[in-house]
Amino acid sequence: MTTHFFINARLIDPEAGTEAPGWLQVADGRIAAKGDGTVPVGDHKVIDCQGHCLAPGIVDIGVKVCEPGERHKESYKSAGLAAAAGGVTTMVTRPDTLPAVDTPETLEFATRRAQADAPVNVLPMAALTKGREGCEMTEIGFLMDAGAVAFTDCDHVVSNTKVFSRALTYARSCGALVIAHPQEPGLSAGAAATSGKFAALRGLPAVSPMAERMGLDRDIALLEMTGAAYHADQITTARALPALERAKRNGLDITAGTSIHHLTLNELDVADYRTFFKVKPPLRSEDDRQAVIEAVRTGLIDTISSMHTPQDEESKRLPFEEAASGAVALETLLPAALRLYHAEQLDLPTLFRAMALNPANRLGLESGRLTAGAPADLVLFDPDVPFVLDRFALKSKSQNTPFDGQRMQGKVTATYVAGNEVYRRA
């Protein structure tokens, strides 16, 4: 049995809600013990953390890896390397590939590629409906047997309520988690910005924040009818929060996430049609951003994810309305989240509750915590080191990040999966 001791660390424990100096013992790929006193004497390898933060590895729900179909944008190898460099030890991948991951055969192909090429854990999601077309649900039971951890049509909203209610009912009978994109599809079709003065001045097609509220209200009504387990992938507006709070208070099996871009950027960052800032849903007002940060702080919003969406140069170097939506974020998730820490809006245990513990709990994983017996999936990082982000230094094949050239603070020192080092900063 291989035993490691991480000493001289700032232990970030999201389960206990604490940040304190101490040591962590890892044995045979799992956490064996932690403490704040003298390290036990014995024959073991010692890793000096030099006062840096040691936290559970990030569990990132909603990562797009473009295999099969668009491997030139992102492969499992490049995404895995980017994840390791960003402190992400578990990628939960989306099924919006070409073709969609909607059969056991396609899922098994993706799983084999991930196991062969990615240095981090990869858990696949499968499509909720065939081809993500919203017409006929997939074979949920067979896909679960093949390894699907959740079911989603990503940003293709299932507009047919009968199809969606049947899928929710069947998912409940199988014990499956459904992840949905709360948005009213008619109102949001073709939108490139959030409605308001800024979008009007720029002449951009816009969508009201009420579209998110309306989409969430519909989904909540269907949850009341079916009793399914449901996760909203991105809640980004203040208007949607009261409905989410009521649904939780009424005992529905509902959780919600938000993206790092909606927590750290607002609609004004689009400036003069900068397409790297075009994401889905579009960036919101500063008031919405602050409301979502507060919802993460209180626990109303459960998870923070990268919503990593690689796009090549050709799809981004277009007029704003025509450019593809999405941004890469596996490597920028933690540095961007640390902006909220340095602004004293969220402390480190709260951030890792949303980035590690809650996503792991929602998916029924053992990771995301520093308790004895948990997998030794860990990230060691210095929250204070400053740097200027160079998108061409990113490990992703695509470099469509809105943080290019921005001053950031906080870098990953090393990442460990099952106690094995998969990344170390040079």
Side-chain angles (χ1 to χ4, degrees), residues 41-390:
V41 177
D43 183 17
H44 46 246
K45 179 180 177 181
V46 173
I47 300 170
D48 188 351
C49 298
Q50 299 179 338
H52 294 172
C53 296
L54 187 65
I58 296 169
V59 179
D60 192 1
I61 297 178
V63 175
K64 180 171 182 178
V65 179
C66 306
E67 287 191 74
E70 297 177 298
R71 198 168 183 270
H72 65 285
K73 292 184 180 180
E74 193 80 288
S75 66
Y76 278 104
K77 182 176 182 179
S78 61
L81 292 173
V88 175
T89 54
T90 300
M91 296 191 297
V92 185
T93 56
R94 304 196 321 242
D96 52 342
T97 51
L98 295 175
V101 180
D102 59 0
T103 65
E105 293 78 14
T106 311
L107 182 70
E108 287 166 2
F109 165 81
T111 301
R112 286 196 304 272
R113 295 289 304 191
Q115 290 174 344
D117 294 343
V120 300
N121 303 311
V122 179
L123 302 176
M125 295 189 286
L128 184 66
T129 65
K130 293 183 179 179
R132 298 169 55 238
E133 294 175 353
C135 298
E136 183 182 358
M137 68 179 177
T138 55
E139 296 284 358
I140 292 176
F142 290 150
L143 285 161
M144 289 184 73
D145 290 343
V149 297
F151 295 84
T152 179
D153 278 355
C154 305
D155 59 355
H156 284 194
V157 177
V158 182
S159 56
N160 187 318
T161 51
K162 182 168 285 188
V163 171
F164 194 35
S165 65
R166 286 174 175 170
L168 288 170
T169 300
Y170 193 76
R172 183 195 177 189
S173 70
C174 295
L177 174 66
V178 173
I179 298 181
H181 183 71
Q183 201 72 207
E184 205 292 312
L187 279 178
S188 59
T194 300
S195 59
K197 183 178 179 180
F198 178 81
L201 288 172
R202 290 291 186 271
L204 294 172
V207 59
S208 167
M210 282 302 293
E212 183 171 284
R213 161 75 179 278
M214 293 167 67
L216 184 62
D217 280 339
R218 183 205 71 155
D219 289 0
I220 289 171
L222 292 174
L223 287 182
E224 290 182 9
M225 185 171 76
T226 62
Y230 173 99
H231 179 78
D233 64 351
Q234 295 183 80
I235 297 296
T236 62
T237 66
R239 288 184 179 272
L241 296 174
L244 176 62
E245 192 277 330
R246 285 194 302 272
K248 287 191 169 189
R249 188 174 66 242
N250 291 338
L252 298 182
D253 190 357
I254 181 172
T255 52
T258 193
S259 86
I260 191 60
H261 300 115
H262 291 93
L263 283 173
T264 55
L265 303 169
N266 67 29
E267 60 186 350
L268 301 181
D269 287 303
V270 171
D272 293 323
Y273 309 104
R274 298 164 68 187
T275 58
F276 280 8
F277 289 82
K278 185 180 181 183
V279 294
K280 189 181 287 187
L283 294 176
R284 306 301 194 180
S285 70
E286 179 63 12
D287 287 343
D288 281 328
R289 187 180 80 89
Q290 293 297 333
V292 172
I293 291 172
E294 177 62 15
V296 172
R297 189 190 67 79
T298 62
L300 178 59
I301 289 179
D302 304 89
T303 67
I304 300 171
S305 64
S306 70
M307 293 310 293
H308 179 81
T309 306
Q311 301 289 3
D312 54 23
E313 296 287 323
E314 289 76 12
S315 61
K316 278 292 187 181
R317 299 298 185 189
L318 293 170
F320 196 87
E321 294 176 42
E322 301 172 24
S325 297
V328 294
L330 282 168
E331 289 177 76
T332 57
L333 172 57
L334 182 55
L338 289 172
R339 286 183 164 187
L340 304 172
Y341 163 70
H342 291 297
E344 299 183 351
Q345 291 181 294
L346 298 175
D347 59 24
L348 291 176
T350 300
L351 281 173
F352 277 88
R353 180 188 70 195
M355 294 192 297
L357 178 63
N358 287 348
N361 285 344
R362 193 52 169 145
L363 295 171
L365 308 178
E366 297 178 288
S367 56
R369 64 204 81 217
L370 294 184
T371 51
D377 297 344
L378 305 166
V379 54
L380 180 65
F381 65 98
D382 181 349
D384 300 316
V385 59
F387 68 101
V388 175
L389 183 76
D390 176 7

